Amino acid sequence: MPAPELSDPSLKKQLSFFCGEWRAAASGDSFPVFNPASGSQIAAVPSLSAPEVNEAVEFAADAMRAWSEVPAPRRAALLRAWFEEINRHSADLALLLTLEQGKPLAEALGEIAYGASYIEWFSEEAKRLYGEMIPAPSNDRRILVIRQPVGVCAAITPWNFPNAMITRKVAPALAAGCSIVVKPASQTPLSALALAELASRAGLPPGVLSVVTGEASTVGTALLRHPLVRKVTFTGSTETGKKILEECAKSVKKVTMELGGNAPFLVFSDADLDAAVEGLMASKFRNSGQTCVCANRVFVEECVLEPFLAKLLPAVKNLCIGNGWENGTTQGPLIDDSALRKVESLVENAKSLGASVLLGGKRASNENQFFLPTVLTNCHHDMALAKEEIFGPVAAIFSFHSEEEAIRAANASPVGLAAYFYSRDIGKIWRVAEALEVGMVGVNTGTISNAMAPFGGIKESGFGREGSKYGIEDYTNLKYICMAGISS
Ligand code: ADP
């Protein structure tokens, strides 16, 4: 079945957006964007050079001077207008997202609403960027603290949520009075460019939001090296995050790092097993397992393993792979061939070390990038999938005998983004929630992310928070003003 058409084809942009205009690369170079479900090319976007990125940053710095002086209620209103433009075009944005990323249309629509909710939230927070008065050590002075925009920001974003990973960064930056230059993932630039088009239609001033496309090594590096970029916000792998941190250290940029996870999902014997299966399906198989908060290691208390699997297997069998825009599809393709090969090698490694394949375990028989929804049991800590993010539709089931053993196993990872557990014992719930070494815990739920809550990790999952009242802090500098001579 052919893909449907956009109702507003002008949302499919094949130019970069910077210096207040839509531009091709001066060199004429571009790179292709593919539909991962069919492998066919759907667009080509510019491969910008470092001087072009520098120009974008310098224009953004000029734009920011005026933007930071726009009164907060006006900035809030412009963000709100952007939010409304997105809602008006949500069907087209979802379709573009599905075409370049592969996720089912229903999930894409969910991402558009979720992404937009950050713009709504931070449009409101723009008006609440309060300072503080602190009791002074003597009567002749006052201690004031104000918040000021940090400067031009650079956002480097991944392909798994091509819309929401951008709005989560751009909205607080703009709310705080910063300008921001976004480098979207090369696999999924179209969602970013459509967001920029709608921002422009909503009346956001030129240069406040730019989207620059091209090679990570050229565009990313130029952003990281530019002295006018004062803040870098990154979502992606821990490996790439470490390289970005090294680069940012050279000019001491402020950084937010949303890096990889290895979420444990614990099912205790007193859990509501139906709820646990429902939570696992949402956490594990959403986006075909390609999310950083996906359940990566599923620990089930030995005495309920059998009844848990008896409920899980039919739910996984019900999943339906296919083109994201087709009715009934619940599982899209993996993003590219290297993602597919990685999942394959993790499953092969687990099998060679004793895992049993209860379902799936291999590519789908078509020639495209689909991996069958998979359930593995008898998993253990020495397998590569216990240490690495699977990033695919593979539920790896481990078992445990005690609360203590479960917590120790869950925490045996250098990363700490999200964790989930199911129990109905209130004492255990507090003990386990407090003992898990992660930034976010879902108790009796497999879905935790929303604009009101602080999203982020600890350990090698990074630092900084996105969403919530905390999410705007990283886009501001605190300034202390000591006002003396008051009593004379
Ligand atoms: P993945 O491996 O899943 O593609 P990455 O963490 O490598 O995830 O990529 C996330 C984002 O970081 C993408 O936009 C990518 O282009 C960008 N990126 C990758 N390497 C670098 C780098 N060395 N410098 C700047 N950006 C980079």
Side-chain angles (χ1 to χ4, degrees), residues 156-159 183-185 187 216 220 224 234-237 240 243-244:
I156 298 181
T157 57
W159 49 262
K183 189 211 87 64
Q187 296 92 333
L224 300 177
F234 172 72
T235 299
S237 62
T240 301
K243 287 188 200 144
I244 290 178

Side-chain angles (χ1 to χ4, degrees), residues 64 148-153 177-180 228-231 475 477:
M64 189 192 136
Q148 293 183 304
V150 66
V152 178
C153 303
C178 302
S179 57
I180 185 161
L228 286 174
V229 170
R230 292 314 316 153
K231 150 117 198 154
Y475 296 90
N477 285 328

Side-chain angles (χ1 to χ4, degrees), residues 250-399:
K250 293 178 188 160
S251 50
V252 194
K253 296 190 197 312
K254 196 161 172 151
V255 278
T256 298
M257 289 276 137
E258 297 287 359
L259 308 179
N262 183 353
F265 187 106
L266 314 179
V267 181
F268 288 100
S269 56
D270 63 310
D272 173 339
L273 294 185
D274 290 310
V277 166
E278 194 185 324
L280 181 60
M281 293 304 295
S283 165
K284 177 73 252 181
F285 292 100
R286 189 166 54 105
N287 205 7
S288 298
Q290 302 171 109
T291 86
C292 53
V293 290
C294 265
N296 206 58
R297 296 165 295 153
V298 184
F299 296 98
V300 183
E301 197 159 347
E302 179 70 40
C303 57
V304 292
L305 183 56
E306 224 172 279
F308 178 78
L309 288 172
K311 291 173 188 292
L312 178 66
L313 293 176
V316 177
K317 275 190 197 143
N318 255 342
L319 294 173
C320 181
I321 58 175
N323 287 335
W325 61 84
E326 285 178 5
N327 271 343
T329 295
T330 58
Q331 294 284 288
L334 298 190
I335 190 70
D336 54 26
D337 197 53
S338 85
L340 197 63
R341 275 187 273 114
K342 185 186 168 197
V343 175
E344 263 178 341
S345 88
L346 288 175
V347 170
E348 286 312 311
N349 168 272
K351 277 162 63 182
S352 73
L353 293 172
S356 311
V357 181
L358 300 193
L359 277 179
K362 54 181 195 300
R363 293 176 185 232
S365 51
N366 64 28
E367 72 275 28
N368 297 325
Q369 284 153 204
F370 291 88
F371 198 85
L372 292 176
T374 296
V375 177
L376 302 178
T377 52
N378 299 323
C379 293
H380 57 77
H381 189 69
D382 294 331
M383 295 172 178
L385 54 64
K387 297 170 194 151
E388 293 174 34
E389 275 187 299
I390 301 171
F391 247 61
V394 177
I397 316 277
F398 302 64
S399 60

Side-chain angles (χ1 to χ4, degrees), residues 64-72 75 177:
M64 189 192 136
R65 273 185 277 282
W67 178 245
S68 61
E69 286 176 9
V70 171
R75 284 205 304 270

